[in-house]
Structure formats: C-alpha cells, structure tokens
C-alpha cells in the first residue's frame, strides 16, 4: 500500500485538479504527485552578503539528493539580513526583529502548501535561529544545512592571517596612528576572502555549530563554505530528508531538554557568541522546553572551555574543522560525561554520531586538563543593575578587567558613545552605560560592535567596561556586559544611572551593581520619563516593540 503523505491533501481528488495543474506547470510529472513526498527547500540565498551568496549551490545539491531518494523538491526563499552591513546605524534595529519574520515566513509557506518535510539551507546570525524556531513550531520532518564558515584572510605574502574581528579593531588603530590608510585599505580587501559566514566565532558560526549540537543537521557543520565537501554534505542531507519523512522523524523527537542541554554544553566549551543567550531560549520556547538561566549557570560551572577561536583566541573556524570539527568537540565532551544521549536527524543517537570522531589537533581542541578554563565561556550576571540578569562572554575579557569599579559615562543609544570614544571623552577606568537599546527600547536590541571595536582600537580594552541593555556581536571581545534586564525602556535601574555614579563589576562572581543609595534612586525615579522609540507608528518595528519580551526571555514575542 502506498504511503499517504501530508501533501496529498493538496493533490488528491477531483476538487484538486487546479492544484495538480499548478504543479504540472512547474515541471512535476502527473505520476509523481501523491506518490512521492513534496519537500520544501528553504533557500535563504541572496546577493547581500558572503554568508548567503553561495547557498543556491547547496540548495541545488540538496534538491538533487531529494530527487535521488525519491522525493519532489520545491525551493522557496525568505529574507536574510547581514548584521555586518546593518551595524552602527539605524539598520541595526532590524536584524533581531527579522528572526521572527524568518520563522513566520517559513511557517506560512510550509502550512499553505502542506509540505511533507523541509530542508533549510541557511546561514548567518538571525537566519539559523529563525529557521530552528520554525522547525520546532511546524514539527514537520526538518533538517538544516548551514552555509559554513569563510576561510581566513591573508596578508604579508600569507605570513599574517586576519579575519573580520581584526578588521573591526583596525578602525581604532588607524585613528591612533598605529596603522596607516594603506594598511587599512589592504585589511579591508583581504579580511573576508571567500563566501561563508564571517571567519571568526561570531553568532553566525556559533549558531551553525550549535545546530549540530542540537541534532538538527548532519555531522559536519564546521565544513568551510568554499569546500566541495559542503556540496556532498548538502546532497546527503537531501537524501536523508526523504527517509525522515518515511520514518516520521519530527523535531519534537529531537528538540527536547536533552538537545538544549547539549547545545548549552557545546556553547560553553567553544566560547560561543553571547547572542546564543537570546536564540537558545527562543528555540526552547518554540519547542515548549522550559528554559531558565539557572540551568545555564549550572552548565557553565561544569563545562571546561576547550576551544578559543577569534576574537577571543588565536584560531579560526577552518582550523577547528581540520582539528575534527564540532563532531570531535562533542566526542570529547561526551567522553567527559557532559552530554546527554538523544535522537538526531541521522536517526541515530548523538553518541553514535560522534563515536568515531577524532581530535586531530590538541591545541585547537584542548583536553579538560589543558582547557583555557574549567568553566564555560559565558557568564550570567545579577546584581541591582541587572535584577533579571545580564550576559557577558567572560572568555573574551582580559584578566585585569574581570573585576572593575569605576564612574559611569552614560549615553542614550550607541552613536554618541562611539563618538565619545574617538573624541577622547571616555577615559581609562570608566564604565560606559549605553541604554535604550534593549528589545523594546531600541527597538530590536542593536549590537554594540561599533563601540567595542572603537574601545579596542583606541587602546581602552584593558581599562574600560561597557554595560548595556543592547547586545554584542560575536566579533566583540572585552569587558562587555549586555542583555541587562529589566531594560531601561521598561524602567529598569539602568534608566536611572547618571554620569559619575560608581558601578561595581565582579565577573567571576557574576555581579554588576550600581553604587547609589535607595533614597537618591527614588528621587530620580520620580523624574524619569519613559523613552519613546524612534519608530514610525504602524511600522513593523512599532509592532515588534509592543510585543517583544525581555532579553532574558530570549526576546521572544508575547503569545497572549
């Protein structure tokens, strides 16, 4: 007896003659409809950024795999914003907000056309988590192909390697006269040499790697974008999705508490982007998995930091791949008893997927004994300035800045703070407060990459901290505390900080406090006026601002 597919509702019966005709017009054969699963291939390829301009080749390879396995591939697209192009100006209000558009658009297509399964060919910061959110929400057999990391850039005849974070830091070096305009021009040309997600452990590569940890892609997420192995990987993925449909292997059997646990462990072990503290809670929310930051802290306290890629370390994503990739990292973590066995898209348990993996470079993927730290790379902070929590990538903080006490320099939004850095207004010892950049107040929770890049370039990374209700790029390193909640726009204590107030930061003990007495704060609160975001009424950002929740809830939209 022929298997009944979900898509049959669109092609069977006399009243579906128009539906069949529409499919015939795309080149699908009459004898295929109703007999083969229809696989939606979400292809987020576009010409706006290097992380996406190669994805069509991967989508074609996936489609060939679907055909070879007896399925019908149909490709469709969704949006993809480049955070690097959006950063430092009004455009940065949109990337995090676009995560919801991506998830919603995939939902719209998959439900409207009643596809049997999905292959999601995705890359970059908000697109990967948006796709994972859609997968959890739809609960159709789904498998991801992430675009893969870019190769490292080279200068000085190949003797000097550079990447995106070096490019960001070089702006301040130029301002200080440490490099000249000719060198800056060469860095711009050479830093990003190929297609793929930016060549560091930013949010894009972090979320790609965590997709494997979640069990939502085939082992091999670290394969660099330009490698032919990526095409073979995509074709195998296309073949595998047809089997998943026949096996009824849906995300609810994969994206459970164990999967989120494993992603958090890998995140801590590799020193992932602080933005994962937005995306993993959002994915868990769609999968109906309870998520607390106590859970994050417990995992961070027991997970050694085995890998340090740029900008926190000296290695690059392609070196991680050659050292065995995320599969080898997981093999090692599993040997340490830190991972939980769980079903994956391969149809096998996680332990089976990683059993034969081998660490090929002990310097790139360290042991527990030689780890950079015996605790994970991300730190959850509390204190009166962050009553609901805040996040810091502690692996990227210089030792001398792990504790810091200094006067506040307060800015409402990022641009004046960046100008103050370059103009010499910010002095060694300061704590820069950038507020009204949270999910609601921004809106959209802009990244502070322009500020932290300026801080490093101007030689202040060893003496200045930043505290914000905004967030940070994966390219950020330094004493950067983000996601402060409640945010200033919600009346959080951040809204009451004034220039000269002393802020006390203790990263090892997870504390960030404003040293101002309650009576003074109460007087300030009486005079505080809620911040009004710079958005047009009725625009997407206006609606997003009204619906979005706290950063410490993943900045998900309210369900009620």
């Amino acid at each position: 007896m022929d298997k009944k597919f979900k898509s049959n509702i669109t092609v069977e019966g006399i009243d579906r003659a128009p539906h069949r005709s529409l499919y015939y017009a795309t080149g699908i054969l009459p004898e295929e409809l109703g007999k083969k699963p229809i696989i939606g291939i979400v292809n987020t390829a576009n010409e706006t950024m290097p992380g996406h301009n190669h994805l069509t080749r991967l989508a074609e390879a996936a489609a060939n795999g679907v055909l070879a396995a007896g399925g019908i591939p149909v490709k469709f697209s969704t949006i993809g914003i480049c955070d690097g192009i959006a950063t430092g100006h009004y455009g940065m209000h949109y990337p995090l907000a676009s995560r919801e558009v991506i998830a919603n658009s995939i939902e719209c297509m998959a439900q409207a056309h009643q596809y049997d399964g999905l292959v999601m060919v995705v890359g970059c910061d908000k697109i990967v988590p948006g796709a994972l959110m859609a997968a959890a929400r739809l609960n159709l057999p789904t498998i991801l192909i992430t675009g893969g990391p870019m190769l490292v850039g080279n200068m000085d005849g190949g003797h000097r390697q550079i990447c995106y974070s070096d490019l960001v830091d070089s702006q301040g070096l130029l301002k200080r006269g440490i490099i000249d305009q000719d060198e800056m021009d060469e860095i711009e040309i050479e830093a990003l040499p190929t297609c793929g997600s930016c060549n560091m452990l930013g949010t894009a590569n972090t979320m790609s790697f965590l997709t494997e940890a979640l069990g939502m892609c085939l082992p091999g997420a670290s394969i660099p974008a330009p490698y032919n192995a990526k095409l073979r990987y995509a074709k195998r993925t296309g073949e595998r999705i047809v089997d998943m449909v026949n096996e009824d292997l849906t995300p609810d059997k994969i994206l459970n508490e164990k999967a989120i646990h494993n992603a958090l462990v890998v995140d801590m072990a590799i020193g992932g982007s602080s933005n994962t503290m937005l995306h993993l809670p959002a994915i868990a929310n769609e999968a109906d998995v309870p998520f607390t930051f106590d859970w994050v802290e417990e995992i961070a306290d027991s997970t050694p930091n085995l890998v340090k890629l740029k900008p926190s370390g000296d290695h690059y994503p392609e070196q991680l791949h050659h050292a065995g990739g995320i599969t080898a990292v997981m093999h090692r973590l599993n040997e340490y008893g830190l991972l939980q066995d769980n079903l994956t898209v391969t149809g096998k348990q996680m332990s089976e997927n990683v059993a034969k993996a081998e660490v090929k470079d002990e310097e790139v993927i360290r042991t527990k004994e030689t780890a950079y730290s015996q605790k994970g790379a991300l730190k959850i902070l509390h204190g009166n300035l962050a009553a609901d929590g805040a996040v810091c990538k502690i692996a990227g903080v210089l030792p001398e800045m792990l504790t810091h006490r200094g006067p506040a320099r307060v800015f409402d939004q990022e641009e004046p703070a960046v100008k103050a850095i370059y103009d010499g207004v910010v002095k060694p010892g300061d704590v820069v407060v950038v507020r009204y950049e949270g999910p609601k107040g921004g809106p959209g929770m802009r990244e502070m990459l322009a500020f932290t890049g300026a801080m490093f370039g101007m030689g202040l990374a060893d003496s200045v901290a930043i505290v914000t209700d905004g967030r940070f790029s994966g390219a950020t390193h330094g004493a950067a505390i983000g996601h402060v909640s409640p945010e200033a726009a919600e009346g959080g204590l951040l809204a009451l900080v004034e220039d000269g107030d002393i802020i006390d930061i203790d990263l090892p003990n997870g504390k960030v406090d404003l040293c101002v007495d309650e009576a003074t704060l109460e007087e300030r609160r009486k005079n505080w006026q809620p911040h009004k975001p710079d958005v047009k009424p009725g625009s997407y950002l206006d609606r997003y601002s009204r619906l979005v929740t706290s950063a410490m809830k993943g900045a998900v939209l309210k369900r009620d």
Side-chain angles (χ1 to χ4, degrees), residues 216-271:
M216 288 298 293
C217 68
L218 297 181
S222 63
I223 299 171
Y227 285 12
N228 290 335
K230 201 74 182 179
L231 293 172
R232 298 192 295 273
Y233 178 87
K235 187 171 184 178
R236 291 191 181 100
T237 298
E239 293 174 339
R240 177 61 194 149
I241 190 61
V242 176
D243 291 336
M244 287 177 66
V245 170
N246 291 325
E247 296 163 9
D248 193 31
L249 180 49
T250 48
D252 63 334
K253 300 178 177 73
I254 299 169
L255 285 176
N256 52 31
E257 189 171 324
K258 292 179 179 180
I260 302 295
H261 170 93
N262 290 345
L264 285 169
V265 170
V266 172
D267 194 15
M268 297 301 169
I270 65 174

Side-chain angles (χ1 to χ4, degrees), residues 142-429:
T142 300
I143 187 167
L144 273 70
I145 301 169
T146 56
M150 177 187 293
L151 298 183
V152 68
N154 286 281
M155 292 176 62
D156 301 338
H159 296 293
R160 176 183 171 191
Q161 294 184 315
I162 56 170
C163 69
Y164 183 80
S165 61
D166 299 313
L167 172 61
V168 171
D169 292 347
S170 67
Q171 297 167 98
L173 299 178
L174 176 63
K175 182 81 173 178
R176 291 163 64 197
I178 294 175
I179 63 174
D180 60 21
Q181 187 62 55
D182 287 343
E183 185 171 354
M184 182 75 211
D185 291 345
E186 187 179 1
I187 292 171
E188 285 185 36
I189 293 293
E190 302 297 341
L192 305 175
T194 71
C195 61
S197 299
C198 291
N199 42 16
M200 59 178 184
L201 192 60
T203 308
N205 284 320
T206 301
M207 288 308 304
S208 172
F209 297 162
L210 295 193
T211 300
E212 181 172 337
L214 288 165
M216 288 298 293
C217 68
L218 297 181
S222 63
I223 299 171
Y227 285 12
N228 290 335
K230 201 74 182 179
L231 293 172
R232 298 192 295 273
Y233 178 87
K235 187 171 184 178
R236 291 191 181 100
T237 298
E239 293 174 339
R240 177 61 194 149
I241 190 61
V242 176
D243 291 336
M244 287 177 66
V245 170
N246 291 325
E247 296 163 9
D248 193 31
L249 180 49
T250 48
D252 63 334
K253 300 178 177 73
I254 299 169
L255 285 176
N256 52 31
E257 189 171 324
K258 292 179 179 180
I260 302 295
H261 170 93
N262 290 345
L264 285 169
V265 170
V266 172
D267 194 15
M268 297 301 169
I270 65 174
S273 165
S274 58
N275 282 315
T276 58
M277 294 299 100
L278 291 169
H279 300 318
L280 289 176
I283 295 163
N285 178 67
E286 293 288 355
D288 293 323
V289 174
F291 190 102
T292 71
F293 282 89
D294 290 342
W295 188 18
V296 176
E297 291 183 79
E298 289 170 9
I299 291 173
D301 285 343
S302 61
T303 305
N305 182 195
L306 306 181
V307 175
K308 269 199 179 186
L309 304 184
K310 285 280 191 172
S312 298
D314 296 325
H315 300 127
Y316 297 90
E318 68 185 85
Q319 290 174 289
L320 174 62
H321 172 67
H322 292 301
I326 290 299
T327 317
V329 174
M330 293 181 68
H331 171 80
R332 179 152 283 176
L333 292 168
N334 197 46
E335 283 188 324
Y336 295 153
L338 295 173
L339 299 180
Q340 297 181 3
D341 222 3
N342 194 43
L343 189 63
T344 72
V345 293
T346 65
K348 300 175 182 178
Q349 295 290 311
M350 174 276 297
S351 60
E352 297 176 85
N353 291 344
V354 306
K356 295 181 180 179
E358 178 185 352
V359 174
K360 300 174 182 178
D361 189 328
E362 299 283 353
E363 182 55 34
V364 176
I365 305 173
R366 294 191 173 190
T367 66
K368 194 171 185 178
E369 292 71 29
T370 61
Y372 294 99
S373 168
Q374 293 305 313
K375 293 189 176 183
L378 296 177
K379 187 71 177 178
I380 306 302
L381 308 177
H382 297 283
N384 68 354
L385 199 52
D388 293 342
V391 178
C392 180
K393 185 173 176 177
I394 196 169
V397 180
L398 295 170
E400 55 266 40
M401 289 299 294
L402 291 173
T403 59
H404 182 76
R405 182 183 176 91
R409 294 288 175 265
V410 183
F411 303 92
D412 293 347
Q413 302 191 307
E414 182 191 26
E415 287 86 350
V418 174
K419 185 176 186 300
I421 282 274
Y422 286 130
D423 289 349
V425 174
V426 175
K427 304 295 184 183

